[in-house]
Amino acid sequence: MAKNTLSSRFRKLDIDEFDENKFVDDHDEAVDNQGPDGAEIDNLIRQGDMMTAFHIALRNPPVITKNPAIKERALAIVLRVLTSFKSSDIEPAVKSLDRSGVDLLMKYIYRGFEKPSDNSSAILLQWHEKAFAVGGLGSIVRVLTARKTV
Amino acid sequence: MSLYSFGLEPLSCHAWNKDRTQIAVSPNSSVVIIYEKKGNEWAKIHELTEHSGRITGIDWAPDSNRIVTCASDRNAYVWTLKDKVWKPTLVLVRINRAATFVKWSPLENKFALGSGARLISVCYFEKENDWWLSKHIKKSIRSTVMCLDWHPNNILLAAGSSDFHCRIFSAYIKEIEDKPGPTAWGAKMPFGEMLLETKDCGGWVHSVSFSPSGDHLAWVAHNSSISVADATQGKEMTQLTTDRLPLVSVLYVSPTEMVAAGHDCCPFQFSYKGPGSLKFVKKLDIPKQTSRGSMSAMQHFRNLDKKATDDESNELGCLHQNSITQLCIVSGTKAHVDKYSSVGLDGTPVTFNMAPS
């Protein structure tokens, strides 16, 4: 096989950065949420109050910030709550959410699918089934189209 | 409801003539075909072949009997009927990307063209030089303009774009019309002035529609939502997220009711009565009641084994078998629509009757 002796330094250049018509999202000035409070959630899980832990975990989602550390932290907390649920408790928990809550839950479920751990996928699939029953295809479409992701 | 299949090709767009005896459609190619109704059948009477790119928009002006077409070849043509033949006239739209949508204004003295060049081209006919001229609206638009609708006052133009925003511009051309009076959207309307810009809608705005009075503006976005902006209530916006696939076309059928259709292959009715009160009313397509013949238990399990389902039918339970791409009024005015038509990716235009509600 012939060897490519020409320089390939151009491949390291991100041409989109130089595009003057590049689309940038609207810069939202609002101060963003920092994600749920880990210590509070831990307490509630230890006490066994899953429903409250669930609601607090879904409060203050860090949707506007671009800081991956904040998002990872929030995601980890929410996943811990979701995986600690008993299968039979999932449905009432989903039913207690409003429309935007179901959309937010769906966003976290799909983020959870991205990095499967030992048995997180199984419980996440159960969550997905129940959330889909309430949110329908629309909630999944909104996961795909949302610019403000968790 | 009536339907007639024009073949297997998806229909990108369609337009009716004034008395609804002729329909111009484009089967996802660079030609426009005009069919005429002969009894219960539709016969092809004309083929308009001037474009070199896929046709993306057709509009037929009912009173002046002119057709405007736009395509991905960055051109638009205005067609006039001379001696039973449609003759094209090129319009200098001056865009460097594909055209996406075209619509005649209510008085038919100008038309608006949306394009991927991030601008709207408003074109009017200049008598002295006997040609069509265009003026561009570029302000604030940051991505492809996907849909347009004219306000009844012939001046304001609503545009939905893939930069997730819906906007209202003034398309006032002083050479051909008088100064407009103030409307609920604003009083100062020089050409290109933006009177409304919505916040991030959450998805590409696929279709916009003014209400019959022009005081409300409805649009559908790709995040499966429908929204309305109300000029009489301080331009307040109400959004309703649905649990279905995204809607792609919306049409006002009365001062409060609107019909929207999209990837769920059937039209839905929504109702807006005031800020915060945007509701889903009902699905407008009655599914066919296919008679399921009795199946023996043996057949039932054999089907389950072979096909993983015991459902013998391979049809969707509605008239369209694929996504709907465009809705159009057939009879009635925007204030009171009796019939509307829909075309989609299955090549079959369907005419729906609006049931009195």
Side-chain angles (χ1 to χ4, degrees):
Chain A
M1 280 288 289
K3 197 170 174 75
N4 179 16
T5 52
L6 296 169
S7 164
S8 55
R9 247 177 51 200
F10 69 89
R11 295 186 193 279
K12 298 198 171 70
L13 189 66
D14 181 7
I15 193 72
D16 287 330
E17 292 300 317
F18 299 98
D19 183 9
E20 59 223 9
N21 295 327
K22 184 175 167 167
F23 181 81
V24 285
D25 280 302
D26 290 338
H27 183 59
D28 218 325
E29 294 296 340
V31 172
D32 189 28
N33 303 306
Q34 295 303 308
D37 185 2
E40 204 182 338
I41 305 271
D42 280 334
N43 267 337
L44 287 164
I45 297 184
R46 240 172 289 144
Q47 289 165 18
D49 187 356
M50 298 308 300
M51 208 49 147
T52 321
F54 177 63
H55 282 268
I56 296 186
L58 288 181
R59 238 189 273 158
N60 300 338
V63 282
I64 303 178
T65 180
K66 297 265 189 290
N67 184 341
I70 302 183
K71 291 192 192 259
E72 288 297 323
R73 219 203 63 181
L75 177 65
I77 295 173
V78 173
L79 284 181
R80 191 158 73 236
V81 174
L82 293 184
T83 47
S84 335
F85 255 75
K86 275 203 298 280
S87 307
S88 45
D89 295 338
I90 294 181
E91 192 163 351
V94 173
K95 290 244 159 70
S96 71
L97 289 175
D98 65 347
R99 253 277 158 67
S100 51
V102 173
D103 286 345
L104 181 62
L105 174 64
M106 218 25 138
K107 283 187 190 169
Y108 276 119
I109 291 174
Y110 274 95
R111 284 278 279 144
F113 280 144
E114 282 170 34
K115 295 202 187 73
S117 67
D118 325 334
N119 54 355
S120 69
S121 292
I123 191 98
L124 280 178
L125 278 172
Q126 288 179 5
W127 276 102
H128 186 278
E129 183 194 353
K130 300 290 182 247
F132 177 68
V134 176
L137 289 163
S139 61
I140 300 182
V141 171
R142 278 185 282 285
V143 172
L144 297 170
T145 58
R147 301 291 292 185
K148 302 194 175 90
T149 54
V150 289
Chain B
M1 290 177 232
S2 62
L3 56 78
Y4 187 84
S5 174
F6 284 134
L8 292 173
E9 300 298 324
L11 295 177
S12 337
C13 39
H14 71 306
W16 295 91
N17 72 340
K18 183 168 186 173
D19 52 10
R20 307 323 197 201
T21 53
Q22 297 184 16
I23 185 173
V25 291
S26 175
N28 204 37
S29 69
S30 57
V31 301
V32 176
I33 307 183
I34 301 184
Y35 291 90
E36 183 160 33
K37 193 149 192 166
K38 301 216 153 74
N40 266 342
E41 305 284 302
W42 290 86
K44 176 166 149 176
I45 52 169
H46 291 119
E47 198 169 302
L48 277 46
T49 58
E50 194 75 19
H51 281 288
S52 54
R54 188 181 70 92
I55 306 245
T56 50
I58 307 176
D59 200 17
W60 199 322
D63 295 317
S64 50
N65 205 34
R66 289 177 295 188
I67 299 180
V68 61
T69 57
C70 71
S72 61
D73 59 2
R74 316 187 299 274
N75 285 336
Y77 288 95
V78 172
W79 303 78
T80 34
L81 191 63
K82 286 198 179 75
D83 306 321
K84 301 209 190 229
V85 178
W86 287 95
K87 291 257 177 328
T89 315
L90 178 65
V91 178
L92 293 162
V93 284
R94 300 179 289 128
I95 54 181
N96 59 1
R97 291 288 186 278
T100 55
F101 196 90
V102 70
K103 198 128 195 232
W104 283 107
S105 70
L107 292 178
E108 297 167 23
N109 52 359
K110 54 186 175 178
F111 63 87
L113 181 96
S115 73
R118 295 153 52 213
L119 54 85
I120 303 170
S121 193
V122 182
C123 307
Y124 61 100
F125 191 66
E126 206 200 16
K127 286 216 175 52
E128 296 104 56
N129 294 348
D130 191 33
W131 64 357
W132 287 85
L133 283 183
S134 66
K135 284 196 175 175
H136 287 170
I137 301 177
K138 282 192 192 173
K139 201 190 277 196
S140 301
I141 305 179
R142 290 185 296 144
S143 188
T144 305
V145 174
M146 297 185 71
C147 50
L148 298 164
D149 193 30
W150 286 92
H151 187 283
N153 75 353
N154 208 52
I155 304 289
L156 297 180
L157 183 64
S161 162
S162 61
D163 63 0
F164 319 118
H165 290 279
C166 188
R167 299 179 178 90
I168 298 184
F169 292 100
S170 159
Y172 164 60
I173 306 215
K174 60 183 192 297
E175 286 91 344
I176 55 166
E177 52 204 356
D178 304 321
K179 206 150 185 236
T183 67
W185 297 101
K188 287 215 166 293
M189 287 178 266
F191 181 83
E193 179 79 8
M194 186 166 71
L195 288 100
L196 171 76
E197 184 180 40
T198 64
K199 59 182 189 353
D200 190 326
C201 298
W204 307 319
V205 179
H206 282 296
S207 178
V208 283
S209 178
F210 270 109
S211 67
S213 62
D215 286 336
H216 304 156
L217 180 70
W219 66 90
V220 283
H222 199 69
N223 65 346
S224 301
S225 69
I226 177 169
S227 320
V228 179
D230 195 336
T232 57
Q233 305 288 334
K235 303 188 186 172
E236 191 175 323
M237 290 172 233
T238 316
Q239 187 183 69
L240 173 70
T241 52
T242 70
D243 56 354
R244 297 166 213 278
L245 291 176
L247 297 160
V248 163
S249 183
V250 69
L251 194 65
Y252 256 97
V253 295
S254 89
T256 55
E257 309 299 301
M258 53 202 107
V259 170
H263 294 291
D264 268 317
C265 315
C266 88
F268 300 100
Q269 184 178 335
F270 294 88
S271 163
Y272 176 76
K273 299 234 166 63
S277 134
L278 177 56
K279 291 191 175 35
F280 168 72
V281 175
K282 59 180 174 182
K283 191 165 154 175
L284 288 167
D285 196 346
I286 318 298
K288 286 198 284 261
Q289 299 296 336
T290 49
S291 58
R292 303 267 247 54
S294 58
M295 231 192 292
S296 69
M298 169 79 147
Q299 249 181 325
H300 173 89
F301 284 110
R302 191 182 282 147
N303 275 338
L304 273 175
D305 178 39
K306 267 201 213 157
K307 304 181 202 170
T309 173
D310 55 359
D311 189 358
E312 285 283 320
S313 74
N314 59 351
E315 278 184 359
L316 289 177
C318 47
L319 283 171
H320 275 286
Q321 296 302 305
N322 209 324
S323 309
I324 295 177
T325 50
Q326 193 184 25
L327 292 170
C328 194
I329 298 178
V330 173
S331 79
T333 59
K334 237 188 195 179
H336 185 80
V337 170
D338 297 313
K339 291 199 205 160
Y340 59 93
S341 61
S342 57
V343 290
L345 302 179
D346 56 0
T348 307
V350 177
T351 309
F352 290 92
N353 297 323
M354 194 69 212
S357 52

